């Protein structure tokens, strides 16, 4: 069942009922100010840091779901309603939500009034613009009262939901004409306030939640709205809100627009006050002045549209499969940008108060956005590398505000260092900027202890080699990519963290996954050595890779598939000998992507085993059979009920690894089958089962053993976005950035006749037409560029200034 449709031309998903199976959200903001907004106007916003600078309050895990947002109430002769349906939930004669690139537009209609709220964060602006359009669709005169409503968060979201002995005394506001200022804690150490304004004189306001709502009412039945009258209340202690009321008269067919701004301002210490206790409003007034007219708003929205059009212009496919086009051209890269901006901080599943930037996560995210914003990818790489330790290990996470490694979680996740090599290589391939390797980068953020980025990569590479276990496979440490496979943890006490408890330096537990990663990613390091003229270094590194390949085949292959690991007692994990957790997805993906066992036929066996043992109609499960009880030697993975998360859920992040691995074997039909099984646009028709947004990936879909098989959770902030983008655009459609140009190497379903890709690469535009007259899956017979035949399948970086036309014939 569908709950909306894709409007491809406008790059929007259009939702036509407010009762979606879960709130379907969008993200607003491009630089410092960000917002989450659901299809019923729920959500919240923050400045840079979702924990420390939260502007508005949101109630996670509340009933009803999705409580808190920017609500507009329409009071119409005793009846009152909200155009987004929530929170009042009065029946609407029309409802529509359009989630677009960085904006959301919600329309509701009732009793001859149509109300639209358009919400976005203009470029370079620290605030949300809410343009409200009211239209009289009846044939008689209408007099209504419009109430706005936002509830302020007392900045620190964690404190805001825990520290009530203090919070119920600190709330402060100031009211100046049509502007309501939130200034809690501004009197002391804060240098920031927020405000909510409207571009018209108001008929009343409320800033005290209890007065507006009534102590025993919710936002569905606020007292002020029910009686159609604000009380002009001033919050003092207790919970500050901002609500304006405005009387609006509309003739039949008449339309009026109002512009509200929810903004954030910082003032320097010496400029904080206008007079004693009165805040300096200069900057807020400037912000408000920018959006006085609908024309101002429309222009800013147009700028935003152009910004997105430019970002999304780097890779455009023209194919006959509209679902493929909408994923590749719009929604997958859009999600990649959101993961770049948010990391794993704020979604409807991540509460915005924990989890910094993951070392592993951020490097992988980079693979998905580097072609859109290479300069910011460069900065990100340096930030990440700066948190690396001298021994090549790394903090597992760092804080975005301080950019310092997070001591609470520390290091010891032994896959982390290798992702830095992959991220850096992707950046250099995209940009040709080898200079980044000479950039001096601190260890552990210590400015007095720096080495070149290249040296950091070398330490990453050798961190694996310096930490090998009894079979010569890499030691796993606290965990590898699978955070929940905690082989050195042995936790028995409820509140111990699986991620930080136990001995990260265990010398027995080994990861076949890291071995596969090493063979897959290591060659990038070899290549970089060679390009720096370090041939001895390159040869030595290559010897380690070759040896790891042999050891993986010798000790990491289990007859029909790759083993997952050896635990701290030396027992096999992910083996036919195990009763549960016989086969894991991750090593089958990475080992084959690294080419291990391809010539020996082992890779084929491994991927066939994946199909036979892990595949379901909703995607490939992480492992199987699920753990039915808690295994002390395995950790968090066995803490989840069967079918959820890492315990045999369909973890969407690693499905594309299998698709990519299938392309190594040339099996394009299977690769695309895997891709399309979980790609959101392809599962739109089963939204009632899948439940999360049909335009973005979720981290997990419940596996076959779960009660709700097929149900997705944790949408938006997941490495799934980047990996699916890389897999479809590079491994399947086959346009891969290479150090020397663009490599063309598709692996597609045999039935495909061809497709065209417009790729902008290092400032040059290529129009690449791929035809498949022989109906093969893989193999490039010829490549011609501007009429000239190339000797290889790497398109060189040609002169700027015109679109180069590339013809590729498969066969
Ligand atoms: C989750 C994992 C996640 C980890 C992040 C765990 O509790 O189950 O999916 O990778 O936290 O640190
Ligand atoms: C989510 C985490 O963010 C990521 O780092 C990890 O690889 C996966 N879960 C799998 O555990």
């Amino acid at each position: 069942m569908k709950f909306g449709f894709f409007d491809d031309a406008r790059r929007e998903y259009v939702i036509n009922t407010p009762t979606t199976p879960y709130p379907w959200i969008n993200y607003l903001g491009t630089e410092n100010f960000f917002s989450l907004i659901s299809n019923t106007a729920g959500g919240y916003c923050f400045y840079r840091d979702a924990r420390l600078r939260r502007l508005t309050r949101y109630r996670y895990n509340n009933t009803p779901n999705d409580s808190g947002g920017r609500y507009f109430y329409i009071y119409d002769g005793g009846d009152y309603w909200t155009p987004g349906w929530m929170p009042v939930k009065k029946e609407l004669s029309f409802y529509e939500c359009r989630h677009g690139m960085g904006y959301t537009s919600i329309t509701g209609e009732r009793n001859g009034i149509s109300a639209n709220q358009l919400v976005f964060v203009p470029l370079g602006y620290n605030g949300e613009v809410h343009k409200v359009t009211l239209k009289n669709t009846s044939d008689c005169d209408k007099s209504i009262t419009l109430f706005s409503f936002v509830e302020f968060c007392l900045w620190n979201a964690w404190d805001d939901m825990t520290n009530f002995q203090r919070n119920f005394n600190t709330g402060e506001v100031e009211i100046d004409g049509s502007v309501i200022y939130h200034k809690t804690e501004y009197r002391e150490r804060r240098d920031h306030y927020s405000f909510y304004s409207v571009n018209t004189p108001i008929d009343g306001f409320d800033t005290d939640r209890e007065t507006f709502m009534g102590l025993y009412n919710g936002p569905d039945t606020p007292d002020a709205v029910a009686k159609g009258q604000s009380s002009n209340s001033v919050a003092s202690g207790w919970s500050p809100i901002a609500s304006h009321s405005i009387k609006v008269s509309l003739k039949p067919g008449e339309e009026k627009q109002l512009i509200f701004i929810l903004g954030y301002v910082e003032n320097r210490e010496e400029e904080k006050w206008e007079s004693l206790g009165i805040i300096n409003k200069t900057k807020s007034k400037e912000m408000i002045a920018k959006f006085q007219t609908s024309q101002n708003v429309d222009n800013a929205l147009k700028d935003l549209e152009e910004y997105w059009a430019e970002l999304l212009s780097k890779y455009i496919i023209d194919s006959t499969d509209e679902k493929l086009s909408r994923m590749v051209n719009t929604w997958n890269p859009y999600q990649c940008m959101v993961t770049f901006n948010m990391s794993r901080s704020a979604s409807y599943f991540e509460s915005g108060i924990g989890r910094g930037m993951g070392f592993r996560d951020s490097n992988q995210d980079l693979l998905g956005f580097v072609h859109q914003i290479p300069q910011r990818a460069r900065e990100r790489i340096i930030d990440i590398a700066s948190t690396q330790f001298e021994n090549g290990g790394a903090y597992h996470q760092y804080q975005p505000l301080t950019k310092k490694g997070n001591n609470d979680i520390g290091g010891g996740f032994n896959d982390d260092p290798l992702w830095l090599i992959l991220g850096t290589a992707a950046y250099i391939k995209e940009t040709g900027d080898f200079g980044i390797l000479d950039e001096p980068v601190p260890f552990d953020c210590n400015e007095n202890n720096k080495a070149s980025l290249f040296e950091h990569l070398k330490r990453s590479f050798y961190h694996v080699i310096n930490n090998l276990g009894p079979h010569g496979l890499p030691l796993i440490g606290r965990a590898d990519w699978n955070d929940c496979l905690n082989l050195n943890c042995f936790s028995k006490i409820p509140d111990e963290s699986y991620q930080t408890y136990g001995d990260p330096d265990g010398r027995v537990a080994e990861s076949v996954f890291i071995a596969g990663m090493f063979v897959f990613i290591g060659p990038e390091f070899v290549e970089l050595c060679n390009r720096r003229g370090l041939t001895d270094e390159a040869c030595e590194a290559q010897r380690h890779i070759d040896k790891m390949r042999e050891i993986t085949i010798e000790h990491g292959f289990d007859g029909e598939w790759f083993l997952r690991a050896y635990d701290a007692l030396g027992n096999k994990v992910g083996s036919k000998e195990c009763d549960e957790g016989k086969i894991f997805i991750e090593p089958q993906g990475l080992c084959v992507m690294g080419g291990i066992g391809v010539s020996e036929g082992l890779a084929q066996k491994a991927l066939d085993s994946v199909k036979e043992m892990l595949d379901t109609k909703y995607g490939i499960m992480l492992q199987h059979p699920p753990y039915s009880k808690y295994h002390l030697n395995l950790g968090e993975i066995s803490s989840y009920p069967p079918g959820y998360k890492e315990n045999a859920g369909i973890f969407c992040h690693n499905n594309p690894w299998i698709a990519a691995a299938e392309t190594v074997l040339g099996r394009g039909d299977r690769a695309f089958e895997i891709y399309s099984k979980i790609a959101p646009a392809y599962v739109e028709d089963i939204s009632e089962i899948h439940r999360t947004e049909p335009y973005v990936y979720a981290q997990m879909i419940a596996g076959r053993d779960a009660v709700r098989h097929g149900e997705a959770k944790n949408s938006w902030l997941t490495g799934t976005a980047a990996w699916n983008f890389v897999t479809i655009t590079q491994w399947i459609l086959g346009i891969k950035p290479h150090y020397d140009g663009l490599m063309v190497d598709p692996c597609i379903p045999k039935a495909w006749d061809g497709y065209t890709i417009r790729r902008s690469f290092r400032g040059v535009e290529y129009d690449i037409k791929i035809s498949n007259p022989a109906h093969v899956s893989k193999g490039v017979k010829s490549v011609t560029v501007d009429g000239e035949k190339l000797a290889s399948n790497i398109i060189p970086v040609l002169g700027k200034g015109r679109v180069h036309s590339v013809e590729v014939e498969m066969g």
Side-chain angles (χ1 to χ4, degrees), residues 260-327:
F260 296 80
I261 308 277
L262 176 59
Y264 171 88
V265 165
E266 277 178 7
N267 277 333
R268 286 191 293 145
E269 176 69 33
E270 58 282 16
E271 290 172 349
K272 276 174 74 168
W273 306 101
E274 186 178 301
S275 57
L276 185 66
I278 304 295
I279 59 182
N280 178 347
K281 304 182 180 68
T282 315
K283 289 185 184 168
S284 57
K285 285 183 178 159
E286 282 166 17
M287 285 180 73
I288 294 165
K290 275 198 164 166
F291 295 107
Q292 279 304 298
T293 66
S294 296
Q295 192 59 47
N296 300 150
V297 174
D298 296 346
N299 290 345
L301 186 66
K302 206 158 164 283
D303 291 345
L304 186 67
E305 278 166 13
E306 279 166 17
Y307 167 86
W308 276 105
E310 153 67 16
L311 285 181
L312 299 176
S313 69
K314 305 284 162 60
Y315 192 118
I316 297 177
I317 185 170
D318 185 1
S319 95
T320 50
D321 179 345
E322 61 176 13
K323 293 176 182 162
L324 179 63
S325 302
R326 60 177 66 120
M327 286 317 307

Side-chain angles (χ1 to χ4, degrees), residues 148-292:
S148 66
F149 172 79
V150 298
E151 182 178 359
F152 292 110
C153 176
L154 306 188
W155 305 112
N156 179 329
W158 172 256
D159 201 67
D160 186 70
M161 59 179 126
T162 49
N163 190 1
F164 301 108
Q165 59 81 25
R166 173 177 162 83
N167 294 345
F168 288 161
N169 297 285
T170 53
E172 279 193 286
V173 293
E174 213 175 293
I175 301 113
D176 181 25
S178 300
V179 192
I180 295 166
Y181 289 88
H182 175 226
K183 59 175 188 180
T184 300
E185 291 188 346
Y186 189 74
R187 62 166 55 236
E188 25 118 349
R189 294 156 299 171
R190 293 196 181 275
D191 63 358
H192 41 271
Y193 62 77
S194 64
F195 64 91
Y196 197 37
S197 67
V198 56
N199 66 338
T200 187
I202 56 177
D203 295 292
F205 62 87
D206 273 298
T207 67
D208 174 54
R209 190 181 75 197
E210 192 175 321
T211 312
F212 176 77
M213 206 98 84
L215 186 57
Y216 295 102
N217 293 351
D220 55 331
T221 51
D223 275 348
V225 181
K227 58 179 200 268
Q229 182 75 48
S230 304
S231 301
N232 296 353
S233 61
V234 178
S236 177
W238 302 112
S239 298
I241 61 153
S243 170
H244 310 92
S245 64
I246 302 149
K247 296 199 164 99
V248 183
S249 304
L250 294 165
K251 302 215 169 313
E254 193 184 352
E255 185 178 287
K256 281 188 182 158
Q257 295 188 324
L258 296 165
I259 301 159
F260 296 80
I261 308 277
L262 176 59
Y264 171 88
V265 165
E266 277 178 7
N267 277 333
R268 286 191 293 145
E269 176 69 33
E270 58 282 16
E271 290 172 349
K272 276 174 74 168
W273 306 101
E274 186 178 301
S275 57
L276 185 66
I278 304 295
I279 59 182
N280 178 347
K281 304 182 180 68
T282 315
K283 289 185 184 168
S284 57
K285 285 183 178 159
E286 282 166 17
M287 285 180 73
I288 294 165
K290 275 198 164 166
F291 295 107
Q292 279 304 298

Side-chain angles (χ1 to χ4, degrees), residues 344 355 360-361 396 481-484 646 651 653 699:
R344 303 294 176 269
R355 310 274 310 268
R360 158 203 306 144
D361 295 334
H396 193 47
W481 173 87
N482 190 332
D483 271 336
C484 299
E646 284 87 342
F651 224 86
H653 185 142
Q699 179 203 51

